[in-house]
Amino acid sequence: MQEVLLCKCGEIVLKGLNRKAFEDRLVANLRRRVRRIANCPVSLRQSVLFVEIPEGVDADAVVEEVRRVFGLASICRAAVCEKTLESILETASGYLADEIAFAHSFKVETKRADKKFPMTSIGVSQHIGGELHQRFPALRPDMHHPELTVHVEIREQYAFVHAGPTPGAGGMPIGANGRAALLLSGGIDSPVAGYMMAKRGLELVGIHFFSYPYTSERAKEKVLELGKILTRYVGRMPVLVVPFTKIQEAIRDNCREELFTIIMRRFMMRLSDRLAAEYSCGGLITGESLGQVASQTMPAMAVTEAVCELPVFRPLIGMDKEEIVQIARKIDTFETSILPYEDCCTVFTPKHPNIRPNLVKVLEAESHLAVDSLVEDAFSDVERIILG
């Protein structure tokens, strides 16, 4: 039996004259993602994306891939049949046999997108419902609280039968709103921040700061694994690994301990700003949450951000840790994030960090560093890895 996924568009249906650009992006993203499984034809008709599942292809795997594509509000796994009452009845009886076996009550809902079809939606529902009740007497009609709803959609060429939609990933198509650079650490927060901004239509470029030998190769591998998990949602993603050891050692040797973290963060933002521009990014993304650690107070973030030309997006800014952890579990990054391989943010951590840094004093401290030279050296040795 021929199966198809009926994918309903999300908020892009509210777009005006530029709606087609969003739809084209969504179609392209969907085609690219399902190609990981098989060559499944994808088309858009009447604001519904049709993903045809060829015979012999693992339909469950296709559904799993499609449900992670941002821009889709819902997904219906449906059987295709001819636009006749007899064909619709036979398809419903066979395709939904398992659901019918476990249900005690049901109703039929029909959507008649093809207005030339000679029977009304209510008429189709009544006919198919009556016939199903005769075939399955134990299945009691219930128009208000049915255990099973048999959905019939009559469209231009075919009819489709399914048991109802499952939620899609929501949001907007990746790339529809441009590209941004994600400061990707090995912690819980930054992968969640990347996921949330990708859901708003941003293509991602990952930037990771690596301080070997103070951090191990396993710490780097952990970050790359987090990046691979993110690609399930965001698609292909470059990750730029920036050598950070010399910069941290210079800060340790030339600056007051209480300013180590804030000056380190300023170097991260300088380098990220420059790398982001190279990849045509329109902004930076961080996993900062207000007050979570010393470097995430309002004064600290203001001093850190002062070195940037690009806007800094902080999607987690008002969230508490438990809310962030819930999303990390949902997107399967949590277990990797808590592996005991720490990143460079834990190197030379001051005992008493300054939580209200003054920009003038920070600039004075940085005057003892060869800032431009340190940035150039790190920039010239960036390792570029493509994930996905």
Side-chain angles (χ1 to χ4, degrees), residues 285-321:
I285 304 168
T286 74
E288 292 165 304
S289 173
L290 185 62
Q292 183 170 244
V293 294
S295 63
Q296 295 177 19
T297 63
M298 277 202 295
M301 287 189 285
V303 171
T304 297
E305 188 175 341
V307 300
C308 297
E309 294 185 10
L310 294 174
V312 180
F313 301 120
R314 299 180 174 95
L316 313 186
I317 196 67
M319 299 176 69
D320 62 35
K321 199 65 177 184

Side-chain angles (χ1 to χ4, degrees), residues 2 79-84 87-89 91-92 157-161:
Q2 173 67 49
V80 184
C81 63
E82 296 298 323
K83 292 195 298 183
T84 66
S87 180
I88 293 170
L89 176 61
T91 302
Q157 295 179 306
Y158 300 102
F160 303 90
V161 176

Side-chain angles (χ1 to χ4, degrees), residues 2 20 58 82 86 102 105 115 119 125 144 166-167 182 184 204 214 240 287 295 317 321 346 360 362-363 387:
Q2 173 67 49
K20 187 176 185 304
D58 185 350
E82 296 298 323
E86 294 78 9
F102 287 98
S105 61
K115 301 306 180 185
M119 187 177 287
S125 295
H144 301 291
T166 57
L182 169 67
L184 184 61
L204 300 185
Y214 300 106
L240 315 178
S295 63
I317 196 67
K321 199 65 177 184
T346 62
V360 173
V362 171
L363 290 171
L387 301 178

Side-chain angles (χ1 to χ4, degrees), residues 171-179 196-203:
M172 306 200 50
I174 292 287
N177 287 322
R179 182 183 297 133
M196 292 180 68
M197 294 307 298
K199 188 173 181 179
R200 298 310 306 154
L202 286 180
E203 187 178 341

Side-chain angles (χ1 to χ4, degrees), residues 105-179:
S105 61
F106 85 109
K107 72 173 180 178
V108 179
E109 285 190 359
T110 302
K111 180 176 181 179
R112 189 173 58 108
D114 179 8
K115 301 306 180 185
K116 295 180 181 178
F117 191 76
M119 187 177 287
T120 65
S121 297
I122 293 175
V124 173
S125 295
Q126 290 175 336
H127 178 84
I128 299 299
E131 292 294 323
L132 284 174
H133 183 50
Q134 286 191 8
R135 290 194 180 194
F136 306 97
L139 197 60
R140 176 175 52 85
D142 185 342
M143 300 302 106
H144 301 291
H145 304 289
E147 293 183 13
L148 170 66
T149 299
V150 176
H151 292 263
V152 177
E153 298 193 28
I154 301 172
R155 295 187 172 272
E156 308 96 324
Q157 295 179 306
Y158 300 102
F160 303 90
V161 176
H162 59 85
T166 57
M172 306 200 50
I174 292 287
N177 287 322
R179 182 183 297 133

Side-chain angles (χ1 to χ4, degrees), residues 227-261:
K228 289 176 184 176
I229 295 171
L230 276 179
T231 63
R232 299 173 190 170
Y233 301 92
V234 308
R236 190 168 178 265
M237 179 174 71
V239 174
L240 315 178
V241 181
V242 183
F244 208 54
T245 307
K246 290 182 180 179
I247 290 174
Q248 289 192 286
E249 289 176 338
I251 295 170
R252 176 199 62 190
D253 295 340
N254 295 280
C255 300
R256 296 201 311 274
E257 182 183 0
E258 67 183 55
L259 296 177
F260 282 1
T261 300

Side-chain angles (χ1 to χ4, degrees), residues 281-354:
C281 295
L284 305 179
I285 304 168
T286 74
E288 292 165 304
S289 173
L290 185 62
Q292 183 170 244
V293 294
S295 63
Q296 295 177 19
T297 63
M298 277 202 295
M301 287 189 285
V303 171
T304 297
E305 188 175 341
V307 300
C308 297
E309 294 185 10
L310 294 174
V312 180
F313 301 120
R314 299 180 174 95
L316 313 186
I317 196 67
M319 299 176 69
D320 62 35
K321 199 65 177 184
E322 184 53 38
E323 292 172 311
I324 299 168
V325 166
Q326 286 178 8
I327 300 174
R329 292 186 185 279
K330 170 186 169 184
I331 65 175
D332 298 324
T333 57
F334 179 76
E335 294 300 329
T336 301
S337 291
I338 62 174
L339 291 174
Y341 309 121
E342 297 178 322
D343 59 36
C344 69
C345 293
T346 62
V347 177
F348 311 136
T349 303
K351 292 181 181 179
H352 303 288
N354 188 338

